[in-house]
Structures are given as structure tokens and as C-alpha cells.
Amino acid sequence: MTEPTVRREILTVASAAPLLVLTNYTAPMVTLPETARALGAGPTGPVWILGAIALGLSALLLVSGGLADDYGRKRVLVIGTGVLAAASVVAAASTTVPVFVAARLVQGGASAAMLAASLGLVGHAYPSGPERMRATGRYGAMIGLGTAVGPLLSGALATVASWRAVYWLMAVAAAALAVVSARALEESRSAEPRRFDVPGVVLLTLGVAALLAGVTEGRLGWSRPVVLAAFGAAVVLVAAFVRVERRRAEPLLDLDLFRRPVFLVATGGALVVGAAVVGLLSYLPTVLQAAHGLTPLVTAALFCVWSGLSFVAALLSRHVRLGAAPRLALGLALSAVGFAGLLGVASSFRPALVIAGLAVSGVGSGLINSSITHLAIESVPGHRVSMGSGANNTARYVGSSLGAAGVAAVVGALGLREGATVAVAGCIVLTAVTAAAALATRR
């Protein structure tokens, strides 16, 4: 095959990874009540059912990126996809909350490997220039498509069969992707491999896990001893990680990258997108169902407006004649404008205004996904593209957990109607401020 054909094949197979990961990630959002009842969940059960996969993702994304760069991006992708298939079988067959949560944690770790390695493969295949912009736009579009497919697929299968059906389907799809990846992809790795940073891996993984465990448990009360202990452990572990990494010749995360404005924009932008966009829209279906009695399938269809337009906008983003950072700023600004249509959504449901708001923010999200994907691999040295992907996605999923917890805390403190309005307003301010910061970075 010619080189362009090989690169297109790599892009096609690698882009299937974020599609599968996001489909699986969003699957329980509209079936949470049914899943919780079937598993006999107590007060904390639904929180962990929904949040466990984000913990696994966030804890292992950066680690997976380093492993992919040093030991083979194809190898890490195949292993991660195979593990996702096995964990999906366990999730589908679960009869208790602990088993299901453990399966989702493993799914998160496997998804981390898939995201870091697949974007690394794309970055290696498309080193620079307009072709990389088009490739990262297509890859980023799969995030929006997966976000659209997950709730719709899960809601439809739950209606005709069971909430378990989507996990059986995920197992089959992941196994198929593992086989295709093993056969179709060429191996790539860094020309400058590093020694495995055991202290860095242990400290970062435990630190992120402690942070997100505290956030997850905090939804039921922020002053509880288990929450305070988790946050205290997170502070100590992350501080120890920074200290250890500064002294290592070959660190897991090169802290000097934070001196690069583009890396800061990519990572900080991903954190804000996770918190203000993904976090808000992850919780909003619950608000609509509780306040207005919408069914899971109707809620999924409504939010398909946002995620569907996100997919289309990311695919077409190459026609927006702006650099990646200004395009990110435009996407964030559109998200802020769109969220304005969601103010007061818990008090009165005006379909036209809500749909318009979701549509505008969906276009913005598509521009965000393509821009951040490009910046993630553009902001690091060429042989560390998977590390850039890992750092970027770690920020995104930590942000999504913080954002969803923040929205839940505000709603819990102020009540459904006032709390939802305050949460939406806060997300508008956060995205607008980040848009201004991104615009100030020239790239």
C-alpha cells in the first residue's frame, strides 16, 4: 500500500477507539435509575455506578501515554481494547454494585490505554501541517459521535431488552476492534525510550485516584471523614509526585512542559472543558428527568442535538481558517453562548430555547474537540505524542468529575431550580474566561 493509504487506514482504525470509549463512557447516563435498582444500590451506589469509569480513566491516562510511547502504541491499544472487552462482559453480568463498579474501573483503565495510544498513532502518522489538522479534526469528531451514540444506544437497548444489553454489545465491539488493530496497524514507538518511572506511576495513580474518590464521595457530604481523608491523601501524593519528578532524569511527566503556553492552553482548556461542558451536560439529563419527567430515551434524543452537532462541527472544523488556539477560543465562546439558553431550564422547559442552546454549544464543542486534540500532540515533542494525549485527557476527565460533582453540590445546597441556574451561570463564566485566555495564546 502507498503511504497515504497506510496513513488513512491508521486514522480510520485509531479513530474507532475514541468512538468506542465515549459510547461506553456515556452509556449509563440515561439508564442510571434502572441500573441502580437492578443492582440493589444504596445511597452511594448510583454515584459510583456513574463515576467509576472516570476514576479509572483519569488515574491511568498519563501512565498509558508513557507506556505507549516507550513500549509501542499499537501494543498498548490492542491490550487496552482487549481488556475493555473482558471488563464489559463482567459489567453486563454483574449482580451487585461492587462488581459493576470494579468492572467500570477496569473499563476506565482500558479506555485510558486506548485513548492515549490511538491519538499517539495519529500524531505519529501525521507529523505536521494541514494533514495533521484534518486528521485530528476527524479524530476529535469521534468524541462527539460517541457522546451521541452512547445514551441513544443505551436507552434504546434498555427499552427493548435490558440495561445490560449495551455492555454485551460493547464487549463484542471491543473484541472486534482489538482484532482489527492487531492486523491492520503498524507499530510505532519513541526513538528515545525511557526507563519505566515506577515512583511517578505509583504516586500519580494513587494521587488522582484519591482526588476523584473524594470528589465522588463528596456528592453525599463534603465534610464526611472519608472525603477529607481522600482529599488530604491526594494533596500529599500529588505534592510527592511533583517533588520526585523534578529530580528524575526521565520523568513520567516532563514538568518543564508547563512553561510552554500552548501546553498550558491545551491542558488547562481540557480541564475546563471537562468541568464546565462535560460535567454540566452529564448532570443535566438528571435535572430534566427530575424537574420535567422526561424519559431516558427522550432525554437522550434531546442531547443528541448537542453531541450530533459536535460531531459534524469537528469534521468540518478544518474549513475554519483559524489556528488551533483561536479555534479553541471560538468553541468555548460558542459553548458559553449556548449555555445561556439553558438558564432556568429546571424551572420552565421551553423546548425551542433548550434545543437552540444545545445546538449552539454543540457546534462550539465540536470546535473544542478538534482544537484540543490538535494542541495535545502539537504542544509536546514529536516522540512524546502519546504523553501529550495522556496529559490532555487526564485533565479532561478529572475536570468532568469535578464539574459533575460541583453541579450536584450546588443543586443539593440550593435546590433543583435555583441550583441548576447557578450551576449553568458558573459554567458560562468559566468557559468565557478560558476562551479569553486561549485567544491570548498565539499558535
Side-chain angles (χ1 to χ4, degrees):
M1 289 188 291
T2 63
E3 183 178 348
T5 302
V6 170
R7 291 198 295 179
R8 282 195 298 270
E9 189 171 76
I10 291 171
L11 178 59
T12 299
V13 175
S15 295
L19 173 61
L20 185 57
V21 166
L22 269 297
T23 299
N24 179 63
Y25 182 89
T26 56
M29 288 181 179
V30 296
T31 59
L32 180 60
E34 183 182 352
T35 305
R37 284 194 302 269
L39 298 176
T44 62
V47 176
W48 281 102
I49 288 171
L50 198 59
I53 192 169
L55 196 159
L57 265 163
S58 303
L60 293 178
L61 268 162
L62 191 55
V63 175
S64 298
L67 290 173
D69 282 333
D70 294 331
Y71 296 97
R73 300 175 183 112
K74 171 184 172 179
R75 176 182 297 177
V76 170
L77 176 60
V78 171
I79 292 173
T81 311
V83 172
L84 179 64
S88 298
V89 170
V90 176
S94 298
T95 57
T96 64
V97 171
V99 174
F100 182 83
V101 168
R104 291 290 281 177
L105 280 168
V106 175
Q107 281 187 330
S111 298
M114 293 169 65
L115 288 177
S118 60
L119 185 53
L121 284 162
V122 173
H124 177 77
Y126 294 86
S128 62
E131 288 192 349
R132 171 177 272 193
M133 185 76 78
R134 286 192 291 269
T136 53
R138 179 174 170 182
Y139 182 97
M142 295 301 108
I143 297 173
L145 183 59
T147 305
V149 169
L152 282 174
L153 186 62
S154 179
L157 289 175
T159 301
V160 301
S162 163
W163 64 268
R164 300 177 186 275
V166 71
Y167 300 105
W168 289 115
L169 183 59
M170 289 298 99
V172 173
L177 181 57
V179 172
V180 171
S181 299
R183 292 182 176 179
L185 295 177
E186 295 182 353
E187 186 59 279
S188 71
R189 57 173 57 87
S190 172
E192 305 172 23
R194 301 167 300 171
R195 290 178 296 178
F196 190 59
D197 181 9
V198 175
V201 168
V202 171
L203 290 170
L204 180 66
T205 300
L206 293 178
V208 173
L211 172 63
L212 294 189
V215 168
T216 304
E217 286 290 329
R219 299 186 193 187
L220 302 175
W222 296 100
S223 61
R224 297 162 61 217
V226 65
V227 177
L228 298 177
F231 285 148
V235 170
V236 171
L237 288 164
V238 172
F241 170 76
V242 171
R243 184 172 182 179
V244 167
E245 294 300 279
R246 288 191 179 282
R247 296 181 176 183
R248 291 188 67 85
E250 298 177 326
L252 175 68
L253 175 63
D254 185 357
L255 299 179
D256 287 338
L257 289 172
F258 287 96
R259 297 178 181 177
R260 296 186 176 193
V262 177
F263 184 82
L264 283 175
V265 167
T267 308
L271 181 67
V272 170
V273 167
V277 179
V278 180
L280 174 64
L281 294 178
S282 295
Y283 195 81
L284 213 54
T286 302
V287 171
L288 291 174
Q289 291 176 27
H292 306 295
L294 300 185
T295 65
L297 195 54
V298 170
T299 307
L302 185 63
F303 276 82
C304 191
V305 173
W306 171 74
S307 50
L309 284 171
S310 172
F311 167 68
V312 173
L315 281 181
L316 299 178
S317 63
R318 67 181 185 275
H319 298 298
V320 179
R321 303 302 181 186
L322 293 172
R327 186 151 37 95
L328 172 61
L330 176 60
L332 288 164
L334 287 174
S335 292
V337 171
F339 286 164
L342 304 179
L343 286 168
V345 70
S347 301
S348 62
F349 180 61
R350 291 171 286 181
L353 185 59
V354 171
I355 290 171
L358 290 172
V360 173
S361 61
V363 173
S365 183
L367 295 177
I368 289 168
N369 287 337
S370 64
S371 304
I372 282 187
T373 301
H374 184 82
L375 288 168
I377 57 178
E378 195 78 2
S379 62
V380 297
H383 62 287
R384 289 291 165 217
V385 287
S386 292
M387 183 186 69
S389 168
N392 187 270
N393 280 296
T394 297
R396 184 193 292 262
Y397 289 104
V398 167
S400 69
S401 295
L402 294 173
V407 173
V410 171
V411 170
L414 301 178
L416 184 61
R417 294 184 177 183
E418 185 179 352
T421 299
V422 171
V424 172
C427 291
I428 291 173
V429 172
L430 188 56
T431 50
V433 170
T434 308
L439 192 59
T441 301
R442 299 183 178 277
R443 182 68 181 182

